[in-house]
Amino acid sequence: MAERRGARAAIAAVLGPDGGPFTELPPSEGVSAQDGPLGWDGYDAARARAADRTGERESAVCGTGRIGATEAVVISFEFGFLGGSLGERAGDRLEAAYRHARERRLPVVSLIATGGSRMQEGMRALLQLQRVARHTALTRAAGLAQLAVVRDPTTGGGWATLGAGADVVLALPGAQIGFAGSRVRPADADPYAYTAEAQLAAGQIDAVVREDGLAATAGRWLALLTGGGAHAADGRTDGAAPPPAALGGAGPAATGWDAVLAARSPGRPRAAAYLDAYFDHREEIRGDRCGGTDPGMLCGFGRREGRTVAYAAQCGTATLPAGYRTAARLIRLAERLGVPVLTLVDTPGAANDAQAERTGAGAAIADLFAAVATARVPVTTLLIGEGGSGGALALSAPDNTWATPDSYFSVIAPELATAILKRDPGRIRATADQLRLRPQDLVSLGVVRGIVPGRDGQDRRERDG
């Protein structure tokens, strides 16, 4: 179990030694009846004891502070105050914090440690979840970033609103995370399933971060999530991210089969190499928020030439439904924040086994097609290896897809086309030529805009118009 720190210690950890002062927002709390709306015997006395013990008047402390280079509204829960539970007065504070964020155009950072809604206020407390959900939605619609840091424990409505509903979710090691608190779970429940590490593996959070690295990590994330409005240093004003340069040394493929072999070469540069070369630094998001992850799909935000670019990159493996859902999540988040998107296509195709079908391959691919097609931010695609059918096309930008010399794009793999057409296996090479899948064929067919230059600046072809 993670060490439980108070609300102000958590604020100090995320601001860091260079974060500057924390300016608390004035409480805007209504006057409640004696012992709360239910007249719960002893409730006022319990609140008084909690205040004496913690030095706080409520379970949430709200204010503003600088995290790295970014000014943010910070919400921090005090678990020592009635288990960090959410009641009407805490709801007042959270509403005021979100309103302040929207008025000042500031991102929101929530440092969560809560057991859920306050029983002593009954349904009046539970209704605060709707109130919080409304203000998180309004803040999201305003294009403002929301970053959650999940502390121990984070359960109930606090997890299901401020936590899981944030754009990016970080967690402290060993933190207890789950909708069900420890005292209401099934007796035979696996306790590991409710830990930060298990939630990371299940794609429910983006990273587990030690407290001594929290200020730096949160600072980098906030700089990326608020950096979509700047123009690139090369003076581009259309907003689109430029395609990366080709990293491989291959020249134009002489035949279709040569293009296939070049794209399948084990020595060819993969997505991670392209991302490292393209960005000054980057941070990854993880998971589809539906219980799945795909190590073959890298998604996140990076800094390039002074501005933020979002990325979704296939890594040369068959893409899982979780990978498509994570990419769609990334694109929609980038759209809300006004950040251009770069996608790297490299897959033999979508995973097509029984597990992929059970976990919604078709729906996941359809959703990614829709996310790309309707994105209101520019999307740039570079084909860096295999472009296997619809599983690759789903990640490709219409009218802004480029190719490297060592890539191919095909309606179907040559081997499969040969089998479907009932041809002799010896005709695979001829079939590859017929499919016209080489980069130069793709340019002439109008499928891609051009072939990006290699490291020597050569081999660039671009279609007319």
Side-chain angles (χ1 to χ4, degrees):
M1 180 179 292
E3 179 186 0
R4 288 179 180 166
R5 306 283 297 275
R8 296 184 190 271
I11 292 169
V14 78
L15 294 182
D18 302 321
F22 173 73
T23 304
E24 190 168 355
L25 294 174
S28 56
E29 301 162 359
V31 178
S32 61
Q34 183 176 358
D35 287 328
L38 304 185
W40 188 288
D41 187 35
Y43 177 41
D44 283 356
R47 285 176 53 88
R49 289 193 299 271
D52 289 341
R53 183 170 55 251
T54 64
E56 304 296 345
R57 292 178 54 196
E58 249 306 332
S59 61
V61 177
C62 305
T64 59
R66 187 168 296 278
I67 302 174
T70 307
E71 186 78 10
V73 167
V74 180
I75 297 169
S76 187
F77 280 77
E78 175 56 68
F79 190 78
F81 194 103
L82 300 180
S85 56
L86 190 62
E88 287 188 278
R89 288 185 177 179
D92 290 339
R93 292 189 173 199
L94 268 58
E95 177 174 331
Y98 273 99
R99 288 186 184 278
H100 187 80
R102 292 196 298 275
E103 290 168 0
R104 301 296 181 89
R105 303 294 302 168
L106 298 177
V108 178
V109 177
S110 299
L111 312 175
I112 311 169
T114 174
S117 300
R118 193 167 298 171
M119 292 184 298
Q120 296 92 331
E121 296 186 22
M123 280 300 299
R124 295 293 301 179
L126 193 65
L127 291 178
Q128 302 309 304
L129 301 183
Q130 293 177 330
R131 188 181 186 187
V132 171
R134 176 174 179 270
H135 282 281
T136 59
L138 289 172
T139 304
R140 186 179 302 116
L144 300 173
Q146 298 177 70
L147 174 70
V149 178
V150 183
R151 299 150 56 211
D152 183 65
T154 296
T155 61
W159 168 237
T161 52
L162 293 169
D167 299 321
V168 175
V169 184
L170 311 178
L172 297 184
Q176 179 187 175
I177 307 170
F179 186 65
S182 60
R183 298 184 183 182
V184 298
R185 298 170 192 157
D188 59 351
D190 177 9
Y192 179 74
Y194 301 86
T195 64
E197 290 74 14
Q199 297 284 16
L200 178 66
Q204 305 292 358
I205 65 175
D206 296 298
V208 175
V209 182
R210 289 170 52 93
E211 190 174 72
D212 57 10
L214 184 58
T217 301
R220 289 194 300 271
W221 263 118
L222 289 176
L224 289 169
L225 296 175
T226 60
H231 290 301
D234 63 5
R236 295 176 65 91
T237 57
D238 61 359
L247 298 181
T255 68
W257 189 244
D258 288 339
V260 172
L261 293 179
R264 293 177 179 174
S265 171
R268 173 181 56 77
R270 304 286 171 161
Y274 275 91
L275 295 174
D276 288 344
Y278 191 77
F279 291 114
D280 299 324
H281 66 270
R282 58 189 175 93
E283 297 286 338
E284 291 188 13
I285 66 168
R286 181 182 176 91
D288 62 359
R289 298 299 187 261
C290 298
T293 62
D294 181 359
M297 179 74 82
L298 300 179
C299 295
F301 292 80
R303 200 72 170 174
R304 174 183 169 82
E305 298 180 336
R307 69 166 178 173
T308 300
V309 176
Y311 64 86
Q314 292 167 319
C315 298
T317 57
T319 305
L320 305 177
Y324 292 113
R325 285 192 286 264
T326 305
R329 172 194 162 206
L330 179 281
I331 291 169
R332 290 189 171 111
L333 173 56
E335 181 178 34
R336 289 202 304 270
L337 300 177
V339 174
V341 179
L342 170 70
T343 67
L344 302 180
V345 170
D346 184 11
T347 180
N352 57 7
D353 57 7
Q355 178 64 14
E357 295 299 336
R358 281 194 293 268
T359 53
I365 294 169
D367 190 47
L368 180 56
F369 266 119
V372 173
T374 61
R376 291 175 292 177
V377 292
V379 181
T380 302
T381 298
L382 180 63
L383 173 67
I384 64 171
E386 291 194 82
S389 194
L393 189 65
L395 198 60
S396 303
D399 300 320
N400 198 24
T401 292
W402 304 75
T404 63
D406 50 355
S407 66
Y408 80 87
F409 219 144
S410 181
V411 64
I412 191 170
E415 299 94 329
L416 298 179
T418 301
I420 290 172
L421 295 172
K422 299 181 180 180
R423 292 178 173 177
D424 185 276
R427 297 189 63 189
I428 290 176
R429 294 171 181 265
T431 302
D433 284 336
Q434 282 186 290
L435 288 169
R436 296 192 65 190
L437 47 73
R438 300 176 303 167
Q440 57 266 46
D441 297 325
L442 301 174
V443 174
S444 65
L445 289 169
V447 175
V448 303
R449 288 186 59 178
I451 303 172
V452 297
R455 285 171 292 188
D456 59 1
Q458 302 300 313
D459 300 326
R460 182 186 182 97
R461 294 174 178 81
E462 191 166 342
R463 72 175 189 250
D464 293 337

